Amino acid sequence: MAITSSTPFRLDHLPAWHELSIHRTEIATQHMRDWFSSPSSQSRVERFSLSAAGLYLDYSKNRITDKTITLLAQLARDCDVVARRDAMWHGAPVNTSENRAALHIALRAPDDSAFRYLPNSVSDMVRSSLARMRKFAYAVRDGTWPGAIGKRIRHIVNIGIGGSDLGPRMVCDALTPFGSPQLTMHFIANIDATELARTLPQLDAEATLVVVCSKTFTTMETMTNAHTLRTWFIEQGIPEQEVGQHFVAVSNHVDAALAFGITRNHVFEFGEWVGGRYSLWSPIGLSIMLYLGPEHFDALLAGAHAMDQHFHDAPLEANMPVLLALIGIWYRNFFDAQTLSIAPYTDALLHLPPYLQQLDMESNGKSMQIDGRPVAWQTAPVIWGQPGSNGQHAYFQMLHQGTSLVPVDFIAVLTPQYPYDTHHRKLLANCFAQSQALMLGGSIDTSVQAKSSLAAQRCFEGNRPSNTLLIDALTPERMGALIALYEHKVFVQATIWHINPFDQWGVELGKTLSFAIEPALVSLDLLTHGTHDASTESLIRRAAAALNQT
Ligand code: F6P
């Protein structure tokens, strides 16, 4: 059933949805343990695993059968996933509320791939901005682009927040072994000054380059941090008229960057069709390119492009982002799973969970459909997690024995970045053991004499689902593929939920209200009684009293 604008869309009225609901009850009493103990369990692994763009996904430890996948794929078809994907590829305004295309895929389409369907203006812009970034990155890295006093740049400070921070921060940290040992990377995002105050003493102003990243160049946190940095340079003895040599801007709003005082040739521009949380491939990734070098940045793009190709070409049932999306929908909508835990088994991916929080929850945390009607089904789960094996010693208790079903994405790297083989073997053993324990369940109580109450507490019901993603090595290429995998997964889910993943109206109200609160914190004279609710007014009064004491 194709979706037409005249027919109110009801996901929960689609035949595949109905059949999935019936199938959910059929499957309710079945245990994955039994599927794995049957003689055909090897074929289960073969059927429910696949490789794409250098990543291997084993999704066999899920509460799914062949029928589940068939029905979910039918749901995807009924929701026009293929047509929506093609619309995105062709540069259609899939971001309907802002009437914009979402062309992050164009940013990583190689020069010679002739990004077939797009207007030349997009390809030309991508090509020329990459060329400028490369030229600049080479110059900073080889010292031919020095600071104002002529000193070679040694510190890069990325100022940005949300999509202008999380991607560059995650990639630089994940790929440290590929980074320049000559450069130290710093990231300042929050309006809380802790990160700023801790960073400044580490810097040498004469050898520091600040990359101010902001699509809008109006974001309060970023602008405040950028202004503070500018003052700091002057305090450090950089002549005011030379401070500009220490700043570059990355933005879609060139005028705002110029108004800040950044010269035109220090502004790296990108198109309106790049969303903040999809922007690390654009000039927003300049810090990544500075640190890793243009060749590694190209490899990052190539990895993402390989995943794009897979997403574009593979049939739905053998399509990694589609499968991840469908499995997510299975649990979110048919098992009422409220959350998805991300468990990367490497500290190098420390920033992956927060990155995916923005990608997933800012994209799909919506309760209105694209036509403005309320959804009658659940949308984005809460995304959370942290690297294993740390998480095992914190919250895994709840994953194994808690009352909520929490699907987990385990992500493991086969060849470690650092040659500590014993550590790595133990790490992988733990990763695989966790998904096994979640699936199998069992009892750790082997004593028949054990008191029954204790035995019950030491029992694991199992049947708890997970995916396992294996990456051969954490290289720029694989990192690109991994990020693109989740981008497309989120897109597929948005399409099925009939929501727009490319806007974020939900962040605006709080921002606006803060503008009315801040003046009152400067002076309570500016607080008109009754303007705010009683709770907020009381909080403002308490904070103002404390601030005025200091
Ligand atoms: O407030 C949310 C948000 O708009 C995100 O979507 C975005 O990634 C972030 O703020 C930063 O925005 P900008 O790049 O315009 O500073």
Side-chain angles (χ1 to χ4, degrees), residues 161-164 213-217 219 222 276-277 358 362 504 507 511:
I161 197 164
S164 300
C213 284
S214 177
K215 180 172 175 181
T216 54
F217 229 78
T219 303
T222 303
R277 53 195 172 275
Q358 189 200 17
E362 198 172 75
Q504 56 283 322
V507 301
K511 283 186 199 174

Side-chain angles (χ1 to χ4, degrees), residues 270-285:
F270 59 95
E272 195 63 270
W273 36 266
V274 182
R277 53 195 172 275
Y278 301 88
S279 65
L280 71 86
W281 326 98
S282 76
I284 290 287

Side-chain angles (χ1 to χ4, degrees), residues 48 63 93 99 108 123 217 230 234 240 242 313 505 527:
F48 296 144
R63 294 176 68 174
N99 195 28
R108 55 234 190 177
S123 308
F217 229 78
R230 190 164 58 184
I234 296 165
E240 192 164 354
E242 310 279 356
D313 297 341
W505 299 109
L527 180 67

Side-chain angles (χ1 to χ4, degrees), residues 337-380:
Q338 310 281 335
T339 80
L340 169 68
S341 184
I342 304 292
Y345 267 64
T346 168
D347 283 343
L349 292 176
L350 175 71
H351 300 293
L352 181 66
Y355 178 83
L356 293 182
Q357 281 176 335
Q358 189 200 17
L359 178 64
D360 202 319
M361 294 160 77
E362 198 172 75
S363 296
N364 286 349
K366 316 257 162 88
S367 49
M368 289 297 155
Q369 299 180 55
I370 45 180
D371 55 13
R373 295 183 176 96
V375 293
W377 42 88
Q378 297 295 331
T379 59

Side-chain angles (χ1 to χ4, degrees), residues 285-367:
L286 184 62
S287 296
I288 302 174
M289 192 192 271
L290 287 164
Y291 184 47
L292 301 183
E295 287 78 13
H296 289 318
F297 192 82
D298 286 346
L300 184 81
L301 299 183
H305 178 68
M307 186 55 76
D308 294 342
Q309 275 183 313
H310 165 77
F311 176 52
H312 186 266
D313 297 341
L316 296 181
E317 291 85 349
N319 192 309
M320 199 181 277
V322 173
L323 286 164
L324 273 190
L326 294 178
I327 291 167
I329 294 227
W330 182 227
Y331 295 123
R332 183 72 188 105
N333 297 115
F334 296 92
F335 286 73
D336 197 28
Q338 310 281 335
T339 80
L340 169 68
S341 184
I342 304 292
Y345 267 64
T346 168
D347 283 343
L349 292 176
L350 175 71
H351 300 293
L352 181 66
Y355 178 83
L356 293 182
Q357 281 176 335
Q358 189 200 17
L359 178 64
D360 202 319
M361 294 160 77
E362 198 172 75
S363 296
N364 286 349
K366 316 257 162 88
S367 49

Side-chain angles (χ1 to χ4, degrees), residues 39-357:
S40 61
S41 69
Q42 185 54 39
S43 94
R44 178 175 175 84
V45 176
E46 280 154 20
R47 287 195 325 280
F48 296 144
S49 62
L50 80 162
S51 297
L55 310 183
Y56 171 80
L57 171 68
D58 177 345
Y59 59 101
S60 64
K61 292 192 187 86
N62 279 295
R63 294 176 68 174
I64 56 168
T65 62
D66 293 313
K67 185 175 175 186
T68 325
I69 295 298
T70 304
L71 290 175
L72 286 167
Q74 187 54 46
L75 185 71
R77 284 194 183 88
D78 291 350
C79 294
D80 284 346
V81 163
V82 173
R84 297 291 295 165
R85 181 196 63 197
D86 290 349
M88 177 167 74
W89 241 257
H90 284 79
V94 288
N95 177 355
T96 42
S97 71
E98 296 174 303
N99 195 28
R100 289 178 194 159
L103 282 173
H104 39 288
I105 42 174
L107 295 165
R108 55 234 190 177
D111 240 1
D112 58 358
S113 83
F115 199 72
R116 297 176 285 269
Y117 326 101
L118 290 177
N120 285 343
S121 57
V122 171
S123 308
D124 290 350
M125 187 169 184
V126 171
R127 212 171 293 126
S128 70
S129 85
L130 267 174
R132 270 194 76 207
M133 286 167 71
R134 285 193 189 106
K135 193 169 167 212
F136 179 67
Y138 280 128
V140 170
R141 286 166 64 88
D142 69 16
T144 52
W145 199 96
I149 314 291
K151 232 188 203 179
R152 191 180 176 134
I153 298 297
R154 298 286 183 203
H155 296 272
I156 309 285
V157 183
N158 191 95
I159 296 186
I161 197 164
S164 300
D165 165 74
L166 291 164
R169 189 191 289 258
M170 169 180 71
V171 173
C172 289
D173 192 54
L175 299 177
T176 300
F178 297 86
S180 165
Q182 314 283 346
L183 291 172
T184 307
M185 303 304 293
H186 309 268
F187 291 87
I188 299 176
N190 206 340
I191 190 60
D192 172 61
T194 305
E195 214 164 30
L196 176 89
R198 289 177 183 173
T199 301
L200 293 181
Q202 300 172 37
L203 305 177
D204 166 4
E206 293 176 10
T208 296
L209 171 68
V210 177
V211 182
V212 185
C213 284
S214 177
K215 180 172 175 181
T216 54
F217 229 78
T218 55
T219 303
M220 175 274 291
E221 292 87 343
T222 303
M223 290 302 103
T224 308
N225 282 321
H227 280 287
T228 305
L229 255 291
R230 190 164 58 184
T231 307
W232 174 82
F233 274 107
I234 296 165
E235 286 165 3
Q236 296 293 305
I238 306 290
E240 192 164 354
Q241 65 282 10
E242 310 279 356
V243 167
Q245 180 64 12
H246 291 266
F247 278 86
V248 293
V250 182
S251 186
N252 174 235
H253 289 164
V254 176
D255 290 349
L258 300 181
F260 176 84
I262 293 179
T263 52
R264 183 65 187 89
N265 62 342
H266 286 193
V267 181
F268 293 82
E269 199 178 343
F270 59 95
E272 195 63 270
W273 36 266
V274 182
R277 53 195 172 275
Y278 301 88
S279 65
L280 71 86
W281 326 98
S282 76
I284 290 287
L286 184 62
S287 296
I288 302 174
M289 192 192 271
L290 287 164
Y291 184 47
L292 301 183
E295 287 78 13
H296 289 318
F297 192 82
D298 286 346
L300 184 81
L301 299 183
H305 178 68
M307 186 55 76
D308 294 342
Q309 275 183 313
H310 165 77
F311 176 52
H312 186 266
D313 297 341
L316 296 181
E317 291 85 349
N319 192 309
M320 199 181 277
V322 173
L323 286 164
L324 273 190
L326 294 178
I327 291 167
I329 294 227
W330 182 227
Y331 295 123
R332 183 72 188 105
N333 297 115
F334 296 92
F335 286 73
D336 197 28
Q338 310 281 335
T339 80
L340 169 68
S341 184
I342 304 292
Y345 267 64
T346 168
D347 283 343
L349 292 176
L350 175 71
H351 300 293
L352 181 66
Y355 178 83
L356 293 182
Q357 281 176 335

